[in-house]
Amino acid sequence: MKRKNIVGKLINFRGLVYAPAEENGVIFLFSKLTNDLNLYIETIRKGFPDCIAKRYIGHDRWEEVLIEFEYKSSDFKRHGHLESMAKGQGCDMIVCWEHDWADCPKDIEVLELKSEYQRYPNFEIKSPDKADKVNEAINHDLFDKYPATKKLFDTFHEKVLKTDTEVWAKSHKAGIYYYSPVRVFFSVSIQRQGIRVTLFTNGETVKGVQAVTDDGSYAQKWGRLHIKTTADIPTGVAAIKESLKRIRRAIDNHESTGWYAETNAANDESVDE
């Protein structure tokens, strides 16, 4: 029989119906996220590394990032790229669907798309004659519905940006996302009675922060807190500072940080079962 297509799980993300099943799928999904990841792609080429990009790190600064695409992070070693690096060829980041390489060198950042893509808004694909309505929805003022919340947010936002000069923010129609400076570590949703903060905890307790779900079925490494008055801001800012430390440590340790990333405890339980 003629071999049929083999596809990954159903994800329906920004025009990609199925999850990557090999390296080309990783490249395509990555292309859907470059704006969210604040990456400007200069070239994708044959040879090692696959991609040369610039990443925005806030305050009108961009850093060069040399990227290698793999289906699984362990393929980097299997393909002999460690030998290439030993000969002087550089690589800063592995972009993969699944991060399964426990011994990945600490100086290589790993972006696991399986856990990362669900952190970002999914744009519904519509016919061209509806494009104007889509653009209007994306560019709307976040405070149109709840203008009374703006003053509270402005105070909170100003204090957050003073916690670390590397932190910067970008708005989407779904809310405002804050970067560490290279990865989202918390987001803000504007509500009638204040603002809701969703932040990275790495599955550990942070004062004033509650779990996103009661059953831990997702967002195990994320938590939430609500800021309803200016009296809540100090607790919120303290939690943001801790979240920033944890996201940076997680990136350095090549840990998954996405919305559906599991904690070590959850992984241990699945092994026991």
Side-chain angles (χ1 to χ4, degrees), residues 10-20 25 28-30 32 125:
L10 186 68
I11 61 173
N12 278 331
F13 183 75
R14 299 185 183 180
L16 180 62
V17 179
Y18 299 103
F28 184 82
L29 177 56
F30 174 72
K32 298 290 185 176
I125 304 301

Side-chain angles (χ1 to χ4, degrees), residues 59 152-169 176-180 185-188 195 197 199 225 227 232-241 243-244 248:
H59 311 290
L152 178 66
F153 168 77
D154 287 344
T155 302
F156 172 74
H157 175 75
E158 181 180 1
K159 291 183 179 298
V160 165
L161 294 185
K162 288 181 178 179
T163 62
D164 191 295
T165 57
E166 296 296 305
V167 172
W168 62 284
I176 301 159
Y177 290 72
Y178 291 77
Y179 292 78
S180 65
F185 71 104
F186 84 96
S187 62
V188 165
I195 58 180
V197 178
L199 70 164
L225 62 85
I227 298 176
D232 298 326
I233 290 179
T235 298
V237 172
I240 294 307
K241 288 181 179 179
S243 177
L244 179 60
R248 287 174 172 172

Side-chain angles (χ1 to χ4, degrees), residues 72-99:
K72 293 186 177 181
S73 58
S74 60
D75 292 338
F76 187 94
K77 181 178 181 181
R78 186 169 63 84
H79 291 160
H81 297 318
L82 286 178
E83 288 80 358
S84 298
M85 292 187 68
K87 295 177 182 178
Q89 292 179 274
C91 183
D92 304 304
M93 178 192 293
I94 300 171
V95 175
C96 59
W97 173 247
E98 181 178 349
H99 179 29

Side-chain angles (χ1 to χ4, degrees), residues 64-245:
E64 184 174 77
V65 184
L66 305 179
I67 301 170
E68 183 68 16
F69 299 113
E70 303 286 2
Y71 176 64
K72 293 186 177 181
S73 58
S74 60
D75 292 338
F76 187 94
K77 181 178 181 181
R78 186 169 63 84
H79 291 160
H81 297 318
L82 286 178
E83 288 80 358
S84 298
M85 292 187 68
K87 295 177 182 178
Q89 292 179 274
C91 183
D92 304 304
M93 178 192 293
I94 300 171
V95 175
C96 59
W97 173 247
E98 181 178 349
H99 179 29
D100 66 340
W101 188 13
D103 296 327
C104 178
K106 296 293 186 182
D107 57 347
I108 302 178
E109 181 181 346
V110 178
L111 182 66
E112 183 192 58
L113 297 181
K114 181 173 71 173
S115 64
E116 190 67 24
Y117 83 93
Q118 295 174 89
R119 280 291 304 136
Y120 300 99
N122 188 9
F123 307 137
E124 182 180 356
I125 304 301
K126 295 190 176 184
S127 56
D129 61 343
K130 296 181 180 179
D132 290 341
K133 293 183 179 180
V134 174
N135 291 334
E136 180 181 343
I138 292 175
N139 296 321
H140 81 288
D141 187 339
L142 290 168
F143 297 97
D144 277 353
K145 289 179 66 177
Y146 312 121
T149 306
K150 188 175 189 306
K151 185 176 181 180
L152 178 66
F153 168 77
D154 287 344
T155 302
F156 172 74
H157 175 75
E158 181 180 1
K159 291 183 179 298
V160 165
L161 294 185
K162 288 181 178 179
T163 62
D164 191 295
T165 57
E166 296 296 305
V167 172
W168 62 284
K170 183 166 71 174
S171 64
H172 290 273
K173 66 174 182 178
I176 301 159
Y177 290 72
Y178 291 77
Y179 292 78
S180 65
V182 300
R183 195 81 56 85
V184 170
F185 71 104
F186 84 96
S187 62
V188 165
S189 175
I190 307 304
Q191 299 182 324
R192 186 185 303 277
Q193 296 182 339
I195 58 180
R196 185 184 70 185
V197 178
T198 303
L199 70 164
F200 182 76
T201 66
N202 211 14
E204 302 168 356
T205 301
V206 178
K207 184 179 179 181
V209 178
Q210 299 177 335
V212 173
T213 63
D214 294 331
D215 59 4
S217 56
Y218 61 92
Q220 295 176 6
K221 293 189 174 184
W222 295 79
R224 281 193 176 136
L225 62 85
H226 291 81
I227 298 176
K228 298 181 178 180
T229 70
T230 54
D232 298 326
I233 290 179
T235 298
V237 172
I240 294 307
K241 288 181 179 179
E242 183 60 31
S243 177
L244 179 60
K245 292 178 184 177

